[in-house]
Amino acid sequence: QFSFQENGWGASLAERLVRKCDVVNRGLSGYNTRWAKLILPRLITKSSGAESTVAVTIFFGANDSALKDLNPKQHVPLEEYAANLKSMIQYLKSVDVTEDRIILITPPPLQESAWEKECLAKGDKLNRCNATTGEYAQACVQVARDCGTDVLDLWTLMQKNQDFSSYLSDGLHLSTKGNSFVAAQLWSRLEKKLSALPSLLPYWRDVDHTNPEASLL
């Protein structure tokens, strides 16, 4: 949901793709795969032009991996998380979005001390831990392997920079730098698919102003 905020990764991709294709945001803050699996058929259908869909990203795990005892509302067991991802991939394939157009995104790493401050400010205990998030990220990567989709392993890539806290605004959600990182990583995967897309309608200088119908219809 936050990907279309100022400097968000969704907004960055939309800017790169203006007049080539629409970037549609269907992110839902706080949701997990258990809920997303149920509503996906409402979000993407055959009649909504699935055959012209260039790519679909599935980005879950930060909420699923919340600790069961401390955050039972969002928590989803690891095995169910993997099964839910597979279910969403199977649904997309059933509406003609093939696996080569699906990109799974793992949860980013969790910066525990920063997120603990957020939790304590609300009167809660630390309700996530990075090692657990890593297990969900590994499961996401394995689902991608099993199903033949692409995957962006944020959890691993962000930790190659030893201090990954700059990628996160509060220990959990992406910062401006984190959004830029996601946009760049996704673009490297999308560029080949999208670079050949023609621009919609001619550049204004190329329109025949004496006979615009000839250029535009």
Side-chain angles (χ1 to χ4, degrees):
Q1 181 174 326
F2 301 140
S3 72
F4 268 53
Q5 288 182 334
E6 186 176 4
N7 301 314
W9 62 267
S12 297
L13 290 177
E15 185 178 12
R16 283 181 186 255
L17 293 167
V18 69
R19 286 182 60 175
K20 289 206 167 190
C21 65
D22 296 324
V23 178
V24 180
N25 178 9
R26 292 291 181 264
L28 295 153
S29 175
Y31 273 49
N32 57 31
T33 57
R34 183 181 291 165
W35 305 345
K37 180 182 73 168
L38 297 176
I39 61 170
L40 181 60
R42 259 186 275 168
L43 305 180
I44 299 177
T45 65
K46 260 187 184 174
S47 61
S48 64
E51 74 285 346
S52 62
T53 299
V54 181
V56 174
T57 60
I58 300 177
F59 189 1
F60 286 97
N63 296 318
D64 297 68
S65 62
L67 302 175
K68 182 179 180 181
D69 294 345
L70 295 170
N71 190 347
K73 183 162 187 173
Q74 290 178 301
H75 169 80
V76 172
L78 184 62
E79 296 76 13
E80 184 189 341
Y81 166 73
N84 290 342
L85 289 177
K86 288 182 179 179
S87 176
M88 285 190 270
I89 292 167
Q90 289 303 317
Y91 171 75
L92 290 172
K93 289 170 69 176
S94 78
V95 295
D96 300 329
V97 178
T98 50
E99 59 266 33
D100 60 308
R101 290 183 281 162
I102 300 170
I103 304 172
L104 301 188
I105 307 176
T106 77
L110 180 81
Q111 217 284 319
E112 292 176 15
S113 59
W115 185 242
E116 186 172 25
K117 287 179 185 174
E118 298 288 321
C119 293
L120 291 173
K122 297 174 184 172
D124 299 326
K125 295 179 180 177
L126 178 64
N127 58 20
R128 291 165 167 80
C129 76
N130 192 38
T132 302
T133 302
E135 293 174 5
Y136 283 70
Q138 289 171 2
C140 180
V141 170
Q142 188 59 51
V143 168
R145 285 195 192 116
D146 293 345
C147 296
T149 71
D150 201 351
V151 63
L152 172 52
D153 184 359
L154 289 182
W155 192 85
T156 299
L157 289 170
M158 285 184 168
Q159 290 185 95
K160 285 186 176 177
N161 174 357
Q162 287 185 322
D163 180 18
F164 61 86
S165 60
S166 62
Y167 291 128
L168 305 166
S169 62
D170 55 7
L172 175 67
H173 300 97
L174 296 171
S175 64
T176 296
K177 183 178 177 182
N179 272 285
S180 295
F181 183 84
V182 174
Q185 292 290 329
L186 273 177
W187 185 249
S188 71
R189 288 159 170 77
L190 291 170
E191 192 170 11
K192 286 180 183 175
K193 299 175 191 280
L194 302 176
S195 58
L197 287 177
S199 287
L200 300 172
L201 296 172
Y203 180 54
W204 72 271
R205 289 188 187 278
D206 298 329
V207 175
D208 180 354
H209 68 282
T210 63
N211 183 16
E213 290 86 351
S215 302
L216 302 175
L217 296 180

